[in-house]
Amino acid sequence: MITIAVSKGRIYEEALPLLAKMGIEPIDNPETSRKLILPTTREDVQLIIIRATDVPTFVEYGAADFGIAGKDVLLEHGSENLYEPIDLNIACCKLMTAAHKDAPPISGRVRVATKYVTIAQQYFASLGIQAEIIKLYGSMELAPLVGLADCIVDLVDTGNTLRANQLEPRELIMHISSRLVVNKAAMKMKNAAVAALLTQFEQTLIENHS
Ligand code: AMP
């Protein structure tokens, strides 16, 4: 049995068509089913749909053979214990700084609210800017509005969430897409099955592009 851990939400929705092309379709709808392990139309493959930040952990410990997670989450978690063989090119967005539309450009010391503490620390250090990073778990957009931070570091897609809160995107930190990650031991112990599925992912992506 091969287990694929998929990040809930946007990434799961965009991964579904890709998996369907590989003959992997969940039998139950995760929106309505309370099952945490979803059997699929392929007897040898099951899905677990979990919080994005938990995907690298499940794959690292071998609780899942494969994972589908955003590059943002992988960088923040540290992915040296995982293979990251394929950029799936789904759930594409940008990791950016954002601030109130009337706020002056950053100068001197800055307070930054984000859930990406490691990435933000590295980014501001690389610019030589002294940053105090405040860890939040959600609703980052609120922080500049109530004086908790001067700016935020968050994912931006359409920019609608920022605009709705009188914020604007400022600096691009990096382009983000979802990646396929693989447990290192599974790569060796379940080699034939893992290699076959990897090839199938690659072929499906090539077909998608042609
Ligand atoms: P948007 O309003 O389209 O710019 O989307 C921004 C909101 O959606 C923010 O709360 C982001 O954290 C979240 N978001 C945007 N793109 C992604 C993505 N690819 N994966 C996960 N969350 C995302």
Side-chain angles (χ1 to χ4, degrees):
M1 179 61 81
I2 294 279
T3 302
I4 308 177
V6 188
S7 307
K8 262 184 199 164
R10 225 173 263 225
I11 293 176
Y12 174 69
E13 280 157 32
E14 294 198 29
L16 268 184
L18 185 67
L19 292 168
K21 281 193 181 148
M22 298 167 59
I24 302 168
E25 295 184 69
I27 288 168
D28 300 294
N29 177 357
E31 308 247 324
T32 50
S33 164
R34 284 171 184 262
K35 277 189 195 165
L36 296 175
I37 299 179
L38 298 178
T40 73
T41 43
R42 255 181 66 171
E43 260 175 21
D44 59 333
V45 179
Q46 62 185 11
L47 302 181
I48 52 177
I49 317 297
I50 55 181
R51 277 182 81 112
T53 45
D54 289 335
V55 170
T57 309
F58 274 70
V59 179
E60 212 170 83
Y61 283 90
D65 305 295
F66 287 89
I68 298 179
K71 186 66 185 171
D72 51 322
V73 167
L74 296 171
L75 279 172
E76 192 61 30
H77 178 91
S79 54
E80 53 286 339
N81 296 325
L82 300 167
Y83 284 121
E84 191 190 309
I86 302 177
D87 183 347
L88 298 172
N89 250 310
I90 56 172
C92 297
C93 57
K94 291 180 250 179
L95 188 66
M96 302 194 71
T97 65
H100 193 278
K101 60 183 174 47
D102 300 328
I106 284 164
S107 63
R109 202 176 154 79
V110 66
R111 276 221 313 227
V112 185
T114 187
K115 61 178 169 188
Y116 301 105
V117 171
T118 306
I119 298 174
Q121 250 154 8
Q122 284 170 357
Y123 173 72
F124 286 102
S126 76
L127 297 178
I129 295 173
Q130 265 208 357
E132 182 187 345
I133 312 288
I134 300 172
K135 165 104 184 175
L136 292 182
Y137 294 86
S139 303
M140 260 87 76
E141 299 82 9
L142 196 54
L145 304 181
V146 295
L148 179 61
D150 305 304
C151 68
I152 63 172
V153 167
D154 196 10
L155 297 180
V156 181
D157 182 14
T158 61
N160 289 342
T161 308
L162 294 180
R163 267 190 298 277
N165 292 291
Q166 288 86 51
L167 304 182
E168 64 182 14
R170 293 278 170 97
E171 305 296 327
L172 172 69
I173 300 178
M174 68 184 77
H175 289 276
I176 300 291
S177 57
S178 290
R179 313 297 166 101
L180 185 73
V181 288
V182 189
N183 172 265
K184 285 193 169 171
M187 201 85 168
K188 297 194 186 89
M189 314 215 341
K190 295 188 188 177
N191 187 274
V194 167
L197 209 58
L198 266 180
T199 307
Q200 227 197 330
F201 266 108
E202 277 164 354
Q203 278 169 352
T204 309
L205 286 172
I206 291 167
E207 282 163 24
N208 270 359
H209 270 95
S210 57

